[in-house]
mmCIF file of all heavy atoms in Angstrom:
data_model
loop_
_atom_site.group_PDB
_atom_site.id
_atom_site.type_symbol
_atom_site.label_atom_id
_atom_site.label_comp_id
_atom_site.label_asym_id
_atom_site.label_seq_id
_atom_site.Cartn_x
_atom_site.Cartn_y
_atom_site.Cartn_z
ATOM 1 N N SER C 13 -39.666 26.109 -33.466
ATOM 2 C CA SER C 13 -40.868 25.626 -34.146
ATOM 3 C C SER C 13 -40.674 25.605 -35.653
ATOM 4 O O SER C 13 -41.346 24.890 -36.358
ATOM 5 C CB SER C 13 -42.071 26.476 -33.777
ATOM 6 O OG SER C 13 -41.927 27.758 -34.334
ATOM 7 N N ALA C 20 -39.041 27.862 -46.495
ATOM 8 C CA ALA C 20 -37.711 28.348 -46.825
ATOM 9 C C ALA C 20 -37.336 29.486 -45.881
ATOM 10 O O ALA C 20 -36.221 29.964 -45.876
ATOM 11 C CB ALA C 20 -37.686 28.836 -48.256
ATOM 12 N N GLU C 41 -33.700 57.171 -31.708
ATOM 13 C CA GLU C 41 -33.168 57.788 -30.485
ATOM 14 C C GLU C 41 -34.239 58.252 -29.508
ATOM 15 O O GLU C 41 -34.044 58.214 -28.292
ATOM 16 C CB GLU C 41 -32.287 58.983 -30.857
ATOM 17 C CG GLU C 41 -30.811 58.636 -30.826
ATOM 18 C CD GLU C 41 -29.966 59.807 -31.272
ATOM 19 O OE1 GLU C 41 -30.285 60.949 -30.914
ATOM 20 O OE2 GLU C 41 -28.995 59.549 -32.014
ATOM 21 N N LEU C 63 -47.532 32.864 -44.634
ATOM 22 C CA LEU C 63 -48.575 33.456 -45.484
ATOM 23 C C LEU C 63 -48.127 34.777 -46.106
ATOM 24 O O LEU C 63 -48.628 35.182 -47.149
ATOM 25 C CB LEU C 63 -49.855 33.691 -44.670
ATOM 26 C CG LEU C 63 -50.655 32.460 -44.268
ATOM 27 C CD1 LEU C 63 -51.821 32.853 -43.379
ATOM 28 C CD2 LEU C 63 -51.165 31.729 -45.494
ATOM 29 N N THR C 89 -69.454 63.137 -59.282
ATOM 30 C CA THR C 89 -70.042 64.066 -60.260
ATOM 31 C C THR C 89 -69.046 64.559 -61.306
ATOM 32 O O THR C 89 -69.444 65.059 -62.357
ATOM 33 C CB THR C 89 -70.612 65.299 -59.525
ATOM 34 O OG1 THR C 89 -69.558 65.865 -58.729
ATOM 35 C CG2 THR C 89 -71.785 64.914 -58.634
ATOM 36 N N SER C 95 -57.245 57.195 -61.460
ATOM 37 C CA SER C 95 -56.273 57.175 -62.552
ATOM 38 C C SER C 95 -56.447 58.351 -63.509
ATOM 39 O O SER C 95 -55.572 58.605 -64.339
ATOM 40 C CB SER C 95 -56.363 55.848 -63.317
ATOM 41 O OG SER C 95 -57.663 55.677 -63.831
ATOM 42 N N ARG C 113 -48.781 63.084 -41.835
ATOM 43 C CA ARG C 113 -47.957 64.289 -41.923
ATOM 44 C C ARG C 113 -48.839 65.518 -41.746
ATOM 45 O O ARG C 113 -50.061 65.443 -41.849
ATOM 46 C CB ARG C 113 -47.239 64.328 -43.269
ATOM 47 C CG ARG C 113 -48.173 64.573 -44.437
ATOM 48 C CD ARG C 113 -47.419 64.568 -45.757
ATOM 49 N NE ARG C 113 -48.344 64.800 -46.870
ATOM 50 C CZ ARG C 113 -48.191 64.284 -48.084
ATOM 51 N NH1 ARG C 113 -47.159 63.494 -48.355
ATOM 52 N NH2 ARG C 113 -49.045 64.570 -49.034
ATOM 53 N N GLY C 154 -50.240 51.635 -50.135
ATOM 54 C CA GLY C 154 -49.178 51.289 -49.191
ATOM 55 C C GLY C 154 -48.193 50.290 -49.773
ATOM 56 O O GLY C 154 -46.982 50.371 -49.540
ATOM 57 N N GLU C 179 -48.095 61.198 -25.328
ATOM 58 C CA GLU C 179 -48.825 61.269 -24.065
ATOM 59 C C GLU C 179 -49.934 60.200 -24.041
ATOM 60 O O GLU C 179 -50.116 59.516 -23.034
ATOM 61 C CB GLU C 179 -49.414 62.667 -23.906
ATOM 62 C CG GLU C 179 -49.899 62.929 -22.495
ATOM 63 C CD GLU C 179 -50.661 64.247 -22.409
ATOM 64 O OE1 GLU C 179 -50.285 65.203 -23.114
ATOM 65 O OE2 GLU C 179 -51.640 64.289 -21.647
ATOM 66 N N VAL C 185 -55.812 54.041 -19.432
ATOM 67 C CA VAL C 185 -57.244 54.292 -19.629
ATOM 68 C C VAL C 185 -58.041 53.009 -19.415
ATOM 69 O O VAL C 185 -57.482 51.914 -19.365
ATOM 70 C CB VAL C 185 -57.552 54.819 -21.062
ATOM 71 C CG1 VAL C 185 -57.019 56.228 -21.263
ATOM 72 C CG2 VAL C 185 -57.016 53.872 -22.120
ATOM 73 N N ASN C 194 -47.931 49.444 -21.455
ATOM 74 C CA ASN C 194 -47.973 48.304 -20.539
ATOM 75 C C ASN C 194 -47.811 46.979 -21.277
ATOM 76 O O ASN C 194 -47.118 46.076 -20.811
ATOM 77 C CB ASN C 194 -49.286 48.278 -19.751
ATOM 78 C CG ASN C 194 -49.399 49.427 -18.759
ATOM 79 O OD1 ASN C 194 -50.483 49.870 -18.438
ATOM 80 N ND2 ASN C 194 -48.266 49.926 -18.287
ATOM 81 N N GLY C 201 -43.276 40.215 -26.487
ATOM 82 C CA GLY C 201 -42.556 38.938 -26.471
ATOM 83 C C GLY C 201 -43.089 37.971 -25.439
ATOM 84 O O GLY C 201 -42.881 36.773 -25.549
ATOM 85 N N ARG C 205 -52.397 35.248 -22.681
ATOM 86 C CA ARG C 205 -53.051 33.957 -22.921
ATOM 87 C C ARG C 205 -52.174 33.164 -23.904
ATOM 88 O O ARG C 205 -50.991 33.007 -23.667
ATOM 89 C CB ARG C 205 -54.485 34.151 -23.407
ATOM 90 C CG ARG C 205 -55.334 34.839 -22.344
ATOM 91 C CD ARG C 205 -56.760 34.416 -22.422
ATOM 92 N NE ARG C 205 -57.438 35.101 -23.508
ATOM 93 C CZ ARG C 205 -58.674 34.825 -23.868
ATOM 94 N NH1 ARG C 205 -59.344 33.877 -23.247
ATOM 95 N NH2 ARG C 205 -59.250 35.479 -24.840
ATOM 96 N N ASP C 207 -51.118 33.925 -26.852
ATOM 97 C CA ASP C 207 -50.671 34.780 -27.948
ATOM 98 C C ASP C 207 -49.432 35.578 -27.509
ATOM 99 O O ASP C 207 -49.287 35.895 -26.337
ATOM 100 C CB ASP C 207 -51.811 35.749 -28.276
ATOM 101 C CG ASP C 207 -51.742 36.279 -29.674
ATOM 102 O OD1 ASP C 207 -50.804 35.908 -30.403
ATOM 103 O OD2 ASP C 207 -52.623 37.066 -30.026
ATOM 104 N N TYR C 220 -54.009 41.976 -42.954
ATOM 105 C CA TYR C 220 -55.019 40.914 -43.033
ATOM 106 C C TYR C 220 -54.915 40.106 -41.762
ATOM 107 O O TYR C 220 -53.876 39.526 -41.471
ATOM 108 C CB TYR C 220 -54.743 40.025 -44.241
ATOM 109 C CG TYR C 220 -55.787 38.951 -44.484
ATOM 110 C CD1 TYR C 220 -56.862 39.180 -45.335
ATOM 111 C CD2 TYR C 220 -55.684 37.698 -43.889
ATOM 112 C CE1 TYR C 220 -57.811 38.198 -45.575
ATOM 113 C CE2 TYR C 220 -56.636 36.711 -44.123
ATOM 114 C CZ TYR C 220 -57.694 36.965 -44.970
ATOM 115 O OH TYR C 220 -58.635 35.995 -45.211
ATOM 116 N N LEU C 260 -46.749 56.254 -33.119
ATOM 117 C CA LEU C 260 -46.394 54.854 -33.363
ATOM 118 C C LEU C 260 -45.560 54.711 -34.638
ATOM 119 O O LEU C 260 -44.618 53.909 -34.680
ATOM 120 C CB LEU C 260 -47.654 53.982 -33.473
ATOM 121 C CG LEU C 260 -48.331 53.662 -32.150
ATOM 122 C CD1 LEU C 260 -49.503 52.739 -32.364
ATOM 123 C CD2 LEU C 260 -47.341 53.018 -31.177
ATOM 124 N N VAL C 269 -41.815 49.169 -44.654
ATOM 125 C CA VAL C 269 -43.241 48.965 -44.920
ATOM 126 C C VAL C 269 -43.459 47.514 -45.379
ATOM 127 O O VAL C 269 -42.737 47.020 -46.245
ATOM 128 C CB VAL C 269 -43.728 49.950 -46.006
ATOM 129 C CG1 VAL C 269 -45.176 49.639 -46.404
ATOM 130 C CG2 VAL C 269 -43.593 51.393 -45.521
ATOM 131 N N VAL C 274 -49.729 40.004 -42.883
ATOM 132 C CA VAL C 274 -50.679 38.995 -42.386
ATOM 133 C C VAL C 274 -50.395 38.787 -40.902
ATOM 134 O O VAL C 274 -49.262 38.521 -40.514
ATOM 135 C CB VAL C 274 -50.531 37.654 -43.123
ATOM 136 C CG1 VAL C 274 -51.581 36.657 -42.629
ATOM 137 C CG2 VAL C 274 -50.648 37.839 -44.619
#
Side-chain angles (χ1 to χ4, degrees):
Chain C
S13 69
E41 260 177 39
L63 288 175
T89 55
S95 59
R113 70 181 180 212
E179 194 188 324
V185 290
N194 292 152
R205 297 210 282 174
D207 204 0
Y220 184 93
L260 284 183
V269 174
V274 183

